Amino acid sequence: MLPEFHLPLSAETFLAEVWQRKPLLMRDSARGLEHPDPDTLAGLALEDCVESRLMTGADKGPWNVQQGPFTAEDFAILPRQNWTLLVQSVDHFMTEVSLLLDYFQFLPGWRLEDIMLSYAVKGGSVGPHYDRYDVFLIQASGQRRWKIGPHCDDHSPRLPHDQLRLLADMPVEEEFLVGPGDVLYLPPGVGHWGVAEDDDCVTWSVGFRAPAPADLLARLTDSALENADQTLYSDAGRPVAQAPEQLTDTDMDNLRDQALALINRDALRDALAGLLSEPRQPAGLDFDIDCGHIAAAAPDTVLVRHGATRLLIDNQGHAWLNGERRQLSSMEKPLVALLARQRRYTQTDLQALMNDQSATLLEEWIDAGFFSAIE
Ligand code: SIN
Ligand code: CO
């Protein structure tokens, strides 16, 4: 079967009371997470374009991290206990994993970042830490003991380490033992420490995209400057200067407003939609989709979106496909809206939306590898 997740409460309640606010343990809320197996995951960590880490350590340390790509020998010399392999953006490389994201439609697609998978032997963990992003930690196999701490920030005491930001003393506020299908939601900043209770402990982390306002401003400025004309500052009707030696607040506000006027609706949309439709790992497109697995697990599927394809639409009739803008005709829009909303499509989904123009567009996107027909 394909991976599934169902919120055990209404999306409205989740967003009003839990999202970005507090941890929530959701027992038995996911299934279909048997694939990929640990060997397949380790195979991904051998690839140059895949981001992976090996963490060793337990209890009070010492902690060690090694960045991938790895070799088979690296895995052969690992100790019996206390290590974890983490592979980032597995959804970009294995489209069948990305299909889990269709169960997060209570949030806009641009807010999703990627799915990281971890594989741990008994005692393995990444140590006590906090993340800056929301995360759904989905237990796929084995058992893990989660210790949950308080909200942390840059001032929280850390263990001395060159590469790792581990918490020095994490008071434990809650503790859960989770098994396959259990899901732990954590908002940004909450301290946590999950230790594998047995071998073959696999956890999927659905992580969210939260662009830094400073990065957004840089993109907005670039986009505004691309379209800016050479208009100069104007101040017709200004009052007589009372203190000509001063740069006044009123003048500063006028100068700022005229500069910010360059960030108009068009510049805003081009910058944000361009940025937010960029996949984290564009190289994922080079990895073939395992159509056989999808066909066997979901026989009604006739088309899938590649896991490394990000598609958004804006309210001006543009599609944004992996950072690139394309104007859509009215004949293409309904199909593209569906392609952007979900990742897996049945014949019934597509039927009413196909016409000569939309079929040609889809053909082009299939040829370029952004989508794939399932035989
Ligand atoms: C893990 O999967 O081992 C760790 C994930 C996390 O703590 O964020
Ligand atoms: Co974490």
Side-chain angles (χ1 to χ4, degrees):
M1 87 180 275
L2 293 173
E4 282 183 20
F5 163 66
H6 299 275
L7 273 178
L9 64 175
S10 75
E12 288 75 16
T13 307
F14 177 80
L15 291 173
E17 295 174 12
V18 181
W19 175 249
Q20 296 239 302
R21 295 189 205 280
K22 61 180 187 192
L24 179 69
L25 177 66
M26 295 168 271
R27 294 260 181 225
D28 208 17
S29 298
R31 54 195 183 136
L33 305 157
E34 294 76 27
H35 171 87
D37 59 26
D39 285 343
T40 309
L41 197 60
L44 268 185
L46 308 180
E47 302 278 350
D48 282 340
C49 59
V50 176
E51 207 184 315
S52 59
R53 279 172 293 155
L54 256 174
M55 285 275 306
T56 48
D59 303 321
K60 298 226 172 299
W63 297 95
N64 182 48
V65 64
Q66 212 187 327
Q67 307 290 340
F70 296 101
T71 61
E73 291 72 55
D74 292 325
F75 294 132
I77 58 169
L78 282 168
R80 184 62 210 94
Q81 294 194 339
N82 302 345
W83 59 263
T84 301
L85 170 69
L86 301 121
V87 184
Q88 201 70 50
S89 308
V90 176
D91 55 317
H92 288 53
F93 302 100
M94 300 185 70
T95 292
E96 53 290 18
V97 168
S98 74
L99 300 179
L100 173 69
L101 299 174
D102 270 354
Y103 294 90
F104 289 85
Q105 286 176 350
F106 49 90
L107 290 158
W110 69 259
R111 196 74 165 82
L112 294 162
E113 181 69 277
D114 69 346
I115 305 180
M116 178 185 83
L117 262 68
S118 71
Y119 171 82
V121 292
K122 189 175 165 61
S125 86
V126 301
H129 68 283
Y130 67 94
D131 297 304
R132 296 166 66 217
Y133 310 96
D134 303 85
V135 65
F136 286 74
L137 296 152
I138 307 180
Q139 196 59 21
S141 77
Q143 293 196 309
R144 184 182 286 280
R145 184 170 299 279
W146 285 108
K147 293 182 174 163
I148 311 296
H151 256 280
C152 304
D153 58 28
D154 279 348
H155 305 292
S156 306
R158 295 236 171 80
L159 293 175
H161 200 291
D162 288 347
Q163 292 155 290
L164 295 168
R165 293 162 54 94
L166 296 179
L167 295 167
D169 262 317
M170 190 189 82
V172 179
E173 297 189 344
E174 276 182 294
E175 196 170 318
F176 308 113
L177 180 65
V178 300
D182 293 340
V183 179
L184 174 62
Y185 164 75
L186 293 177
V190 170
H192 55 283
W193 188 3
V195 181
E197 287 273 310
D198 39 28
D199 289 342
D200 285 327
C201 177
V202 177
T203 307
W204 294 29
S205 303
V206 177
F208 288 80
R209 181 167 284 199
D215 293 341
L216 292 179
L217 191 58
R219 288 291 276 243
L220 285 173
T221 310
D222 288 349
S223 159
L225 292 180
E226 265 172 37
N227 305 312
D229 57 23
Q230 293 303 311
T231 308
L232 298 185
Y233 175 70
S234 58
D235 56 0
R238 69 173 304 141
V240 174
Q242 297 303 317
E245 70 281 9
Q246 250 182 42
L247 172 61
T248 62
D249 282 353
T250 311
D251 276 352
M252 274 208 303
D253 288 350
N254 283 338
L255 287 156
R256 182 202 52 205
D257 290 349
Q258 290 183 36
L260 289 185
L262 293 178
I263 304 182
N264 55 30
R265 223 49 213 165
D266 288 344
L268 190 64
R269 192 193 50 239
D270 285 3
L272 298 184
L275 174 72
L276 298 172
S277 64
E278 283 168 7
R280 187 181 157 112
Q281 292 281 1
L285 280 177
D286 297 336
F287 285 63
D288 289 340
I289 298 177
D290 185 347
C291 292
H293 178 81
I294 295 172
D300 60 343
T301 301
V302 295
L303 181 77
V304 288
R305 181 173 358 145
H306 193 291
T309 301
R310 282 184 86 101
L311 178 61
L312 297 178
I313 53 170
D314 67 29
N315 55 9
Q316 295 296 307
H318 300 115
W320 292 86
L321 180 71
N322 286 17
E324 297 293 327
R325 187 177 78 179
R326 180 189 184 116
Q327 180 71 52
L328 298 173
S329 73
S330 58
M331 300 291 275
E332 294 166 330
K333 263 187 227 167
L335 175 70
V336 175
L338 176 80
L339 298 179
R341 189 175 319 131
Q342 60 200 57
R343 292 165 179 270
R344 180 167 77 79
Y345 319 89
T346 64
Q347 191 59 40
T348 324
D349 290 336
L350 297 176
Q351 219 148 276
L353 310 175
M354 293 303 249
N355 53 60
D356 285 353
Q357 283 184 29
S358 64
T360 306
L361 175 69
L362 180 56
E363 205 57 48
E364 190 188 309
W365 283 352
I366 290 175
D367 286 348
F370 292 116
F371 289 83
S372 184
I374 304 289
E375 303 301 328

